[in-house]
């Protein structure tokens, strides 16, 4: 079984974060997150257009089980010169329950992170590819890993870690990563725990960007 837990907390400005997951076939599970550049209605509508294609599995001539193909098709369809100079970053993964293999690809996005029972390490799941919409005819690389029983994958936007602390310090990804491998909290989901931990050190007044976090647990 696969359990999905998520937390989305919008910032004061309308943003372009979006994520989704679901079954592609009886043994293939997909999960993805996009982060559109900028804020405002344009960014939000751009993310909706992309998400509708992904949810409906409506990408033309594309094998949705191949992350590199998905990114290449989206890049061809959403070139920024035709979309008000907006681009987006993305992480897309496909988990096969029969082989426990996770195929994944990034487009300008930071890694998702894999944690396993008994390990205090968060393993980055990333491929170095350009963002979606930047350059036409971009070739995207994918990678794969084996997901052990009981492992979790943490997928999130940069709004999760790009905070300013109470002391005025600008956080980066490296400041957030130690929180992922901390012990789980009784009575809280992982998303609730991480949101609590981040907001407890962030300066008051709300977060500067959308907080979008998805945790997949693989039995």
């Amino acid at each position: 079984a696969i359990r999905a837990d998520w937390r989305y907390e919008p910032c004061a400005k309308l943003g372009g974060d979006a994520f989704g997951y679901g079954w592609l076939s009886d043994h293939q599970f997909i999960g993805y997150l996009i982060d559109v550049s900028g804020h405002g209605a344009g960014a939000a509508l751009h993310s909706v257009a992309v998400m509708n294609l992904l949810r409906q599995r409506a990408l033309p001539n594309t094998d949705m089980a191949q992350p590199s193909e998905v990114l290449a098709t989206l890049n061809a369809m959403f070139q920024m010169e035709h979309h008000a100079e907006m681009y987006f970053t993305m992480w897309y993964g496909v988990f096969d329950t029969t082989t426990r293999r996770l195929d994944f690809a990034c487009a300008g996005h930071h890694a998702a992170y894999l944690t396993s029972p008994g390990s205090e390490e968060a393993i980055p799941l990333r491929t170095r590819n350009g963002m979606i919409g930047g350059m036409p005819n971009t070739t995207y690389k994918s990678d794969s890993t084996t997901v052990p029983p009981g492992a979790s994958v943490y997928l999130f936007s940069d709004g999760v870690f790009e905070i300013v602390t109470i002391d005025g310090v600008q956080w980066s990804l490296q400041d957030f990563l130690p929180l992922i491998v901390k012990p789980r909290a009784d009575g809280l989901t992982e998303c609730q725990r991480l949101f609590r931990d981040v907001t407890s050190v962030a300066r008051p007044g709300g977060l500067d960007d959308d907080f979008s976090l998805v945790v997949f647990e693989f039995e």
Side-chain angles (χ1 to χ4, degrees):
I2 301 168
R3 287 191 299 273
D5 171 37
W6 57 271
R7 181 77 181 247
Y8 173 70
E9 293 288 339
C11 64
K13 304 183 287 270
L14 195 59
D17 281 11
F19 55 84
Y21 54 85
W23 292 97
L24 191 60
S25 69
D26 59 0
H27 64 97
Q28 292 171 311
F29 181 87
I30 61 174
Y32 46 85
L33 183 145
I34 69 169
D35 187 351
V36 177
S37 59
H39 291 93
L45 290 170
H46 200 57
S47 72
V48 168
V50 176
M51 292 302 286
N52 282 340
L53 289 171
L54 291 169
R55 287 193 183 114
Q56 295 165 13
R57 318 286 194 256
L59 294 179
N61 304 315
T62 304
D63 183 351
M64 298 290 288
Q66 298 295 328
S68 56
E69 282 192 39
V70 171
L71 298 187
T73 299
L74 288 172
N75 186 61
M77 296 176 72
F78 289 96
Q79 281 295 301
M80 58 191 292
E81 62 183 5
H82 304 302
H83 292 275
E85 298 303 309
M86 286 183 293
Y87 61 87
F88 60 93
T89 66
M90 182 174 184
W91 190 97
Y92 184 94
V94 183
F95 177 70
D96 190 315
T97 58
T98 55
T99 61
R100 302 200 66 89
R101 193 177 84 175
L102 174 65
D103 295 316
F104 59 90
C106 294
H109 202 77
H110 56 264
Y113 285 85
L114 173 71
T115 63
S116 301
S119 171
E120 295 182 2
E121 185 182 11
I123 299 168
L125 306 178
R126 185 185 181 205
T127 56
R128 293 189 179 277
N129 294 310
M131 62 195 183
I132 303 285
M135 294 283 290
N137 304 316
T138 299
T139 299
Y140 289 89
K141 298 186 183 74
S142 62
D143 202 350
S144 63
T145 190
T146 300
V147 178
S152 298
V153 169
Y154 296 74
L155 176 59
F156 47 92
S157 66
D158 55 13
V160 168
F161 59 83
E162 287 184 349
I163 64 165
V164 178
T165 69
I166 298 165
D167 301 323
V169 176
Q170 175 72 56
W171 259 25
S172 69
L173 177 59
Q174 297 307 314
D175 297 296
F176 172 72
L177 291 182
L179 299 181
I180 289 179
V181 294
K182 282 176 62 177
R184 304 207 166 194
D186 290 340
L188 296 178
T189 67
E190 276 295 85
C191 288
Q192 290 170 338
R193 177 184 72 81
L194 287 166
F195 183 72
R196 177 200 68 184
D197 290 355
V198 168
T199 52
S200 69
V201 298
R203 65 185 176 188
L207 299 174
D208 296 330
D209 201 353
D210 293 343
F211 183 103
S212 300
L213 170 65
V214 191
V215 179
F216 300 113
E217 297 183 0
F218 300 89
E219 290 185 356

